Amino acid sequence: MKIANLRGPRDLHIEERPLDTSNLKPDEIWIRTRVSALKIGTDRGNYEGAEHVPGAPVYPRWVGDSNLGIVMGVGSAVRRVQVGDRVVTRQPHQSEYITNEAASMVKVPEGVDDEDAVWAHLYALSSFCYRKAHFEPGENVAVVGLGTLGLGAVALGPLFGAHLIAIGNSPTRLEMAQRMGAHEGFLYNDPDLKAKLDDVTGGSGIDLVILTANPWPAYRTALEIVRLHGRVSIVSLLGRGETDLDFNPLSMSLFYTRGISLHAVSGPTGYLYPDGGGGSTMENRFSNDRAAEHMLFLMKTTSLEPKKLITHRFHYSRMVEAYEMIYHREKNMLGVLFTWED
Ligand SMILES: NC(=O)c1ccc[n+]([C@@H]2O[C@H](COP(=O)([O-])OP(=O)(O)OC[C@H]3O[C@@H](n4cnc5c(N)ncnc54)[C@H](OP(=O)(O)O)[C@@H]3O)[C@@H](O)[C@H]2O)c1
């Protein structure tokens, strides 16, 4: 089998490894990858060796965690899937692998395209930005940062009943946001941003900001545009790989006097589902896998179509080229897929 291995910052290799699929243990599942997806923000941070994220493996390390494949074999006790099923998992970029029944894995329903389904776990995280901050239908939501996670949040907003306003740092990304269903879109440094937001929300303001960009100016925008007593849902890793900030992120004028609530998009899913977060498996309501299942359901039954934002498809043998492109922050690059058939 082939697997991508990051030996150090910007030192990515496709390596050949043995894989014995002839003696599966009772709970083991053998999967052959069809496509894997590149998560630009997280994968770029790992690739360039940005500030270490708690829990992330050290080098040499695997990369990628959105994988769609076909079940090729199952052990005698496996019940969740059978041979021939399509599944999305959170496995690294690799041609085939053996996992077990307890690992994160969701069956793809018939009728959902591979190139949509492979984004299920990423979109589940975008949906978590709403759930964690107790979103209510009808609210005005601004998504700040239009990478894959942000554009996922943009696509979900109208389906969830939000008035969705996209805020980015490039016209290309604003155009993509419009394609994904944003009702309005503005540049974060538009000098009239606040007045325009006031106008499009009829004076009611932004109830919830979903912040998906790491840089401090994006955080500042989020706090400045949210209404009094509004909420900010933070999925980005603030300040990761950025220069030190030059303002107090919790100054009275930005935070206390405005009564804002900040929500970290991690851990349990929220007060309605207190045991639901963190785990990957199906046990908990809105666990990662349950949320991914919900995304697949929306892909099957609504206009949710993540593949609309696929800008590049690479054979896995060209993976280094793709990582170098995201390293150089090419703006026209967004949805990137690797195909694994030789
Ligand atoms: N919490 C979690 O569990 C979790 C899991 C996965 C990912 N993440 C994090 O979530 C974040 C989003 O992921 P992603 O893959 O969507 O990342 P991404 O592609 O880097 O998306 C962020 C986008 O925001 C843009 N941006 C930068 N400064 C901005 C500003 N001031 N105003 C508006 N937009 C701005 C970036 O542009 P430039 O490229 O020009 O900077 C980029 O297009 C990353 O920080 C990632 O590490 C968190």
Side-chain angles (χ1 to χ4, degrees):
M1 59 86 86
K2 315 265 191 321
I3 183 163
N5 192 21
L6 188 59
R7 297 181 192 165
R10 292 182 75 191
D11 189 19
L12 183 66
H13 298 260
I14 302 290
E15 296 178 358
E16 184 84 45
R17 303 251 175 97
L19 185 75
D20 179 6
T21 58
S22 59
N23 289 301
L24 294 178
K25 294 193 186 107
D27 65 340
E28 283 185 337
I29 301 167
W30 166 30
I31 294 169
R32 183 166 287 158
T33 305
R34 277 193 4 191
V35 288
S36 62
L38 181 57
K39 277 169 59 173
I40 293 187
T42 306
D43 285 346
R44 182 183 50 223
N46 297 332
Y47 183 67
E48 55 191 23
E51 187 186 319
H52 196 71
V53 179
V58 292
Y59 300 115
R61 56 157 299 172
W62 48 263
V63 286
D65 67 356
S66 294
N67 184 303
L68 181 143
I70 302 286
V71 175
M72 304 299 292
V74 293
S76 56
V78 169
R79 296 288 170 267
R80 275 175 78 187
V81 291
Q82 38 186 309
V83 172
D85 280 348
R86 276 188 310 156
V87 290
V88 276
T89 70
R90 309 187 75 200
Q91 294 283 332
H93 298 308
Q94 58 193 321
S95 60
E96 55 187 310
Y97 53 93
I98 292 172
T99 183
N100 64 59
E101 198 161 30
S104 173
M105 184 184 342
V106 182
K107 226 161 104 169
V108 179
E110 227 174 279
V112 179
D113 198 288
D114 285 0
E115 294 195 349
D116 288 318
V118 71
W119 303 100
H121 282 104
L122 189 79
Y123 273 55
L125 186 56
S126 300
S127 74
F128 194 14
C129 299
Y130 288 86
R131 197 171 294 117
K132 186 71 193 278
H134 317 309
F135 166 76
E136 290 285 342
E139 287 191 314
N140 301 319
V141 176
V143 176
V144 175
L146 304 174
T148 28
L149 261 177
L151 286 163
V154 166
L156 291 171
L159 297 176
F160 289 171
H163 175 179
L164 199 289
I165 299 144
I167 301 197
N169 64 355
S170 99
T172 312
R173 292 299 172 87
L174 287 181
E175 190 273 319
M176 288 179 178
Q178 197 178 20
R179 231 184 309 148
M180 293 311 272
H183 300 110
E184 280 92 18
F186 304 109
L187 290 172
Y188 83 101
N189 56 359
D190 184 329
D192 300 323
L193 182 60
K194 282 194 202 162
K196 286 180 179 170
L197 292 176
D198 229 33
D199 184 40
V200 297
T201 62
S204 56
I206 302 295
D207 301 293
L208 169 63
V209 175
I210 293 178
L211 176 58
T212 77
N214 292 345
W216 288 111
Y219 167 87
R220 192 173 199 156
T221 300
L223 264 66
E224 284 174 352
I225 63 171
V226 73
R227 69 163 167 80
L228 277 180
H229 310 294
R231 292 109 63 215
V232 180
S233 195
I234 305 176
V235 70
S236 54
L237 308 178
L238 279 172
R240 187 185 191 204
E242 300 292 325
T243 49
D244 287 346
L245 77 177
D246 59 3
F247 67 102
N248 176 355
L250 296 173
S251 67
M252 275 175 60
S253 61
L254 275 177
F255 181 61
Y256 180 83
T257 53
R258 306 193 58 239
I260 292 169
S261 303
L262 303 178
H263 297 261
V265 181
S266 67
T269 348
Y271 72 100
L272 285 176
Y273 315 103
D275 301 317
S280 292
T281 57
M282 294 292 194
E283 290 148 30
N284 298 323
R285 189 73 187 105
F286 295 116
S287 65
N288 295 332
D289 279 3
R290 286 276 184 219
E293 228 178 27
H294 178 219
M295 294 302 105
L296 291 166
F297 173 77
L298 291 181
M299 289 174 205
K300 189 174 167 70
T301 58
T302 73
S303 57
L304 184 62
E305 210 182 338
K307 70 167 173 288
K308 277 198 275 196
L309 289 181
I310 293 175
T311 56
H312 294 74
R313 293 172 180 82
F314 291 91
H315 188 249
Y316 73 85
S317 54
R318 293 175 58 207
M319 195 174 288
V320 173
E321 194 184 321
Y323 272 80
E324 277 298 303
M325 285 172 79
I326 58 166
Y327 175 76
H328 291 290
R329 288 179 149 72
E330 301 207 6
K331 276 288 180 217
N332 65 355
M333 187 175 215
L334 187 82
V336 182
L337 289 186
F338 299 115
T339 57
W340 287 88
E341 264 157 41
D342 265 321

